[in-house]
Amino acid sequence: MRIGLQLLFGYVLVAILACYLVFTIFVKEVKPTVRRATEGLLIDTATLLASIVSQELSSINQIKKSHLGSAFEHINELPFNINIDGVIKSKMAYRVYITDINGIVIFDSDKRDEGKDYSRWNDVYLTLRGKYGARTTREKPEDPTTSIMYVAAPIKIDGQLVGVLTVAKPNQSMSSIIIKGEKRILIGGVILIIAALLIGIFIIWWINRSIKKLVDYAQRVSNHEVVNLPKFSSPELSMLGHALEVMRLKLDGKDYIEKYVHTLAHEIKSPLSSIRAATEILQDTTKKELDTSRNIEEVRHTQQRFLSNIEQQTERMNILIERMLQLARLESRVGVNFQTIQMQNLIQDVISSKMADAQLQGVNLIIEHNVVIKLKGDKFLLIQALSNLLSNALDFTPSGGTIRVDTEIIDGYYSIKVIDSGIGIPDFALEHVYERFYSLPRPNKGKSSGLGLAFVKEVALLHNGNIMLNNRVNEQGAIATLILKIH
């Protein structure tokens, strides 16, 4: 089972179990709570009515002539219709009866049990003995819905206990309130469970999404793709992602060093062989000069030619090593300094720096549509990247040709196009031009270090952009497009 489903299943199980226990307790507590509240009201009512009777009468047998008796005489003849939070109350639910000191009913608001002996019922029995008297009795023993709560209070006249006043209320009158409360709790519980499930699903989706981003990052890294570490809102996933990034950098560093050692050894091997051959020829020429009477001028010319070759190969090695160090620093992000750059000024400065070389080669270097824009980036690296593109264009553009620089903004990206009228790029080389040490021979020069376009690509990736190199359509020459993300 996938980890997301495991988390979701565990979360749902815990949520449902917690909701079941909580709401089971709530539902079970509704009825006792309502009845306890009702019992409290009955105690207050019975005590109040008993006090009124005690104050009004000098003899308990006069109860029917009292105001209390008259009030209950016609109380149910006045129906009313009151909506209490959705529950309709249409009549008086209380029943009041009074017994004398012997437990005989002398007053009944329902006029049905007067004269009966209630001395054995708990409400009367306990109250006559100075205790709290109350009971719950079913009118029909087989039907639990007919239960009635009875609460009694003593009637005292001149400090003497003369009787008991009992207030009764059917539990059925509270059933609507209880059912309504239970229904609300159950509905609330269902809503809470659904909300908990939705929240759980969202949390699991969010966790799975972050994990998927991390897995996708690891897979793309394993496929040797250039990818940045995604951002995570979870500290734990951020730590895991950082650990993977550190591991990737260490593995890449090991592979990077191994590959660079092999490629550097291969690239330096050629100029070293050339220097060694030139040195041997120089030694041989010098020896012959001493042994024979050859033309000294011819010997010196040969020596000068080979010394020039040694100088060129030495310069080539210096450039190669310098470019490798620049590229290594860029790939490791050492010394990168982002700042706000006026791109139109930067482009103008680079073109001005190349203008002398262009005039020397007889190449017309112009700029078109220099868009005014500010970008966040490393100024030094962008200057180096654009300078490399212009140097490549100058190397492949013959005298009398033209190099145009054009800029534009498309879909949140800023592009710089360097368009030359040179010999173009062979089709077989288009997919290799960004590889380190891959170089095409220049018309008037030898091969370059092969690191220029690799450097430009790293600069573009550092600025969340890209570099594209294509041949012009229906025209001679190539187009190098440096694309930078606008933040």
Side-chain angles (χ1 to χ4, degrees):
M1 184 182 293
R2 297 176 62 179
I3 184 171
L5 293 177
Q6 292 178 358
L7 291 172
L8 181 61
F9 178 75
Y11 176 84
V12 170
L13 184 63
V14 171
I16 291 177
L17 180 61
C19 291
Y20 171 77
L21 293 176
V22 171
F23 289 113
T24 299
I25 294 172
F26 281 176
V27 170
K28 287 183 178 180
E29 282 295 316
V30 169
K31 189 177 294 184
T33 300
V34 172
R35 289 184 176 176
R36 283 194 293 268
T38 303
E39 184 176 356
L41 292 175
L42 290 176
I43 293 172
D44 294 340
T45 303
T47 303
L48 177 61
L49 293 179
S51 178
I52 292 173
V53 171
S54 299
Q55 296 292 326
E56 185 179 4
L57 303 179
S58 59
S59 173
I60 195 172
N61 293 321
Q62 298 174 346
I63 183 62
K64 290 185 178 182
K65 297 179 181 180
S66 67
H67 291 94
L68 182 65
S70 299
F72 278 100
E73 188 73 25
H74 306 288
I75 194 168
N76 287 324
E77 295 178 4
L78 299 173
F80 46 87
N81 189 18
I82 300 175
N83 187 338
I84 306 174
D85 193 22
V87 178
I88 304 300
K89 184 175 179 62
S90 59
K91 65 178 182 178
M92 180 74 172
Y94 284 123
R95 175 194 175 197
V96 177
Y97 61 82
I98 298 175
T99 63
D100 59 15
I101 193 67
N102 297 315
I104 304 300
V105 178
I106 60 175
F107 173 79
D108 186 352
S109 62
D110 285 351
K111 298 182 177 60
R112 60 180 179 177
D113 288 339
E114 291 180 358
K116 290 185 178 181
D117 184 1
Y118 272 22
S119 60
R120 305 305 298 174
W121 290 111
N122 275 347
D123 57 320
V124 177
Y125 179 83
L126 294 173
T127 303
L128 290 175
R129 284 159 181 74
K131 299 180 180 179
Y132 168 59
R135 64 185 171 96
T136 298
T137 306
R138 296 179 183 178
E139 285 191 335
K140 297 178 181 179
E142 70 281 359
D143 187 0
T145 63
T146 61
S147 63
I148 300 174
M149 294 178 64
Y150 297 86
V151 175
I155 299 175
K156 294 182 180 181
I157 298 177
D158 297 331
Q160 297 293 322
L161 179 63
V162 296
V164 175
L165 184 144
T166 298
V167 179
K169 185 178 180 68
N171 285 327
Q172 191 171 12
S173 65
M174 298 175 286
S175 61
S176 299
I177 298 174
I178 294 173
I179 292 172
K180 191 174 184 66
E182 291 177 345
K183 184 178 179 181
R184 284 183 175 179
I185 291 176
L186 291 175
I187 292 174
V190 172
I191 293 174
L192 183 59
I193 291 174
I194 293 174
L197 289 176
L198 292 176
I199 293 172
I201 291 172
F202 171 76
I203 292 174
I204 301 306
W205 170 83
W206 176 68
I207 293 174
N208 275 345
R209 178 172 170 269
S210 299
I211 294 176
K212 187 177 181 301
K213 287 169 62 177
L214 198 59
V215 172
D216 181 65
Y217 166 76
Q219 289 176 342
R220 294 180 66 182
V221 168
S222 65
N223 292 332
H224 303 287
E225 296 181 27
V226 178
V227 58
N228 294 324
L229 178 68
K231 294 182 179 180
F232 302 99
S233 54
S234 170
E236 291 78 8
L237 289 175
S238 296
M239 291 174 61
L240 179 59
H242 180 69
L244 286 175
E245 177 72 2
V246 171
M247 181 179 68
R248 181 188 72 83
L249 290 174
K250 289 184 178 180
L251 292 175
D252 284 353
K254 181 180 178 181
D255 180 65
Y256 180 86
I257 293 172
E258 182 180 353
K259 181 171 59 177
Y260 259 37
V261 167
H262 285 92
T263 53
L264 180 61
H266 175 74
E267 291 297 322
I268 293 180
K269 183 178 179 180
S270 176
L272 285 178
S273 298
S274 179
I275 292 173
R276 181 179 179 183
T279 304
E280 290 176 351
I281 293 174
L282 280 175
Q283 291 175 348
D284 184 62
T285 303
T286 303
K287 184 177 180 181
K288 287 183 178 180
E289 180 185 5
L290 296 175
D291 295 341
T292 65
S293 58
R294 292 180 59 192
N295 191 325
I296 297 177
E297 289 297 325
E298 181 182 349
V299 172
R300 288 180 177 177
H301 177 73
T302 302
Q303 290 177 340
Q304 186 63 37
R305 181 160 53 88
F306 285 109
L307 286 173
S308 177
N309 183 43
I310 292 172
E311 183 180 2
Q312 290 177 1
Q313 297 302 325
T314 304
E315 180 65 20
R316 180 185 173 188
M317 285 192 295
N318 287 333
I319 293 174
L320 180 65
I321 293 171
E322 182 180 348
R323 289 288 180 87
M324 283 187 62
L325 291 175
Q326 289 179 350
L327 186 59
R329 283 196 297 268
L330 176 59
E331 290 176 340
S332 62
R333 305 298 191 258
V334 175
V336 176
N337 179 27
F338 274 74
Q339 57 184 299
T340 302
I341 306 170
Q342 292 281 1
M343 290 302 298
Q344 69 277 10
N345 296 337
L346 182 145
I347 291 174
Q348 189 62 56
D349 291 342
V350 175
I351 290 177
S352 299
S353 68
K354 293 292 181 180
M355 194 63 71
D357 293 339
Q359 292 176 353
L360 185 63
Q361 294 180 212
V363 175
N364 188 23
L365 179 58
I366 60 176
I367 182 170
E368 298 178 345
H369 306 108
N370 194 0
V371 178
V372 178
I373 188 174
K374 293 181 179 180
L375 287 183
K376 283 284 188 180
D378 189 299
K379 185 175 181 179
F380 174 76
L381 294 179
L382 290 175
I383 290 175
Q384 289 290 102
L386 184 56
S387 180
N388 282 343
L389 294 179
L390 288 173
S391 295
N392 282 344
L394 287 170
D395 287 344
F396 288 98
T397 302
S399 178
T402 300
I403 298 175
R404 294 185 291 112
V405 178
D406 191 11
T407 64
E408 61 180 339
I409 298 174
I410 301 177
D411 298 331
Y413 287 88
Y414 173 73
S415 69
I416 306 172
K417 291 184 178 180
V418 178
I419 307 168
D420 65 56
S421 57
I423 61 176
I425 306 169
D427 293 338
F428 66 85
L430 282 173
E431 60 182 21
H432 300 290
V433 290
Y434 305 113
E435 297 176 3
R436 299 179 185 92
F437 306 111
Y438 186 86
S439 177
L440 294 171
R442 270 63 173 161
N444 300 318
K445 300 179 181 179
K447 287 187 177 182
S448 67
S449 65
L451 296 173
L453 287 176
F455 179 87
V456 174
K457 186 169 185 178
E458 286 297 326
V459 172
L461 294 175
L462 180 65
H463 292 80
N464 297 319
N466 202 356
I467 174 69
M468 294 186 296
L469 191 61
N470 300 292
N471 288 316
R472 298 173 67 181
V473 179
N474 300 325
E475 292 186 64
Q476 189 174 359
I479 303 175
T481 306
L482 177 61
I483 302 172
L484 306 174
K485 175 72 174 177
I486 300 175
H487 294 284

